[in-house]
Amino acid sequence: MSAHDGRFAPSPTGPLHLGSLRTALVAWLFARARGGRFLLRIEDLDPQRSRREFERSQIADLTVLGLDWDEPPVRQSERGHLYEQALASLERAGRLYPCFCTRAEIREAASAPHDEVAAGAIASGAGTERAYPGTCAHLSAAERRSRIGAGRPFALRVRAGGVRIEFDDRLLGRRAGVVDDFVVRRADGVPAYQLAVVVDDAAQDVGEVVRGNDLAASTPRQILLGRLLELPIPAYAHVPLVLGPDGARLAKRHGAATLADRREPPPATLALLAHSLGFARARASVETPGELLAAFDPDLLPREPSILGGPG
Ligand code: GLU
């Protein structure tokens, strides 16, 4: 593996909007500007929300913009055995426990007195969730058996021990977070994003994870998992988000948020994305992302959210 090998890992739950396309472009530039490999991974573990048609449209949009990758894309839904192995290894290390709490019970329970994590919601691949207050961590073995015997559904959580993890983010600087006991296998049996992303980044030899900064708060959890599984820990660069003209996170309602909505040809969208990434001299149209490689300098990337959207 090279430290510069990168990836883009979309969830096929809708069309890619400009913010995701921009993250894909940055991740591609980070890898390609330094001779790294670039991979595409389809994070389709959630059977309810993932659709093949979105996978196809996401790949088509990335291709139209001129992004490329070195190996055929992999789908997480076809890699269950890797996540099972990781769960078995955590189980052997005594790090897992079943959690019977419902979402409502977790919301109602008081937050543990942890700092950064407990102070707010934690971003995850599937939205945001509160720090887990530890309710099921101390159930007796008999209590666990009786609940499992009664057919109560349960998730598996990792025993994090309230550890505080620090890391250096290429764009955000030094970051820290206290890790709660987070879910690694959902109650419906689906491996959690946090587990799968760590297993896959290591299995695919990703040296640097470049992604949207809504996932920066999840990174301490992922680093902890990497350590527990004795996997190499990648470098991280979290890219500021794209907001709509009203300052809210870019969404459908802002209009022209996806490639299909935009009336302009793809090179004009590429130029728009390049401008928002600080390529001040990008022309009104950029034919291929390769044109941006020579001028790409991570130190010049914006550190603040960018406003995009509106009529295309
Ligand atoms: N699949 C995640 C998402 O689309 C991204 C995961 C990652 O880049 O680590 O939000």
Side-chain angles (χ1 to χ4, degrees), residues 16-66:
L16 291 174
H17 60 62
L18 289 179
S20 308
L21 292 171
R22 192 179 78 143
T23 301
L25 174 62
V26 186
W28 185 91
L29 288 167
F30 260 95
R32 294 296 195 218
R34 292 170 301 162
R37 290 180 314 139
F38 188 66
L39 303 174
L40 182 64
R41 183 171 70 233
I42 309 298
E43 301 211 324
D44 60 347
L45 280 177
D46 190 331
Q48 253 90 53
R49 301 174 64 226
S50 304
R51 298 263 185 286
R52 278 295 162 91
E53 75 222 50
F54 292 133
E55 176 189 314
R56 280 193 289 274
S57 81
Q58 293 184 343
I59 289 179
D61 284 359
L62 296 169
T63 306
V64 161
L65 286 185

Side-chain angles (χ1 to χ4, degrees), residues 110-122 129-133 177-180 221:
S111 265
H114 292 158
D115 50 17
E116 294 95 324
V117 170
I122 300 171
E129 57 189 81
R130 306 291 310 175
Y132 182 62
V178 172
V179 182
D180 66 338
R221 291 170 156 188

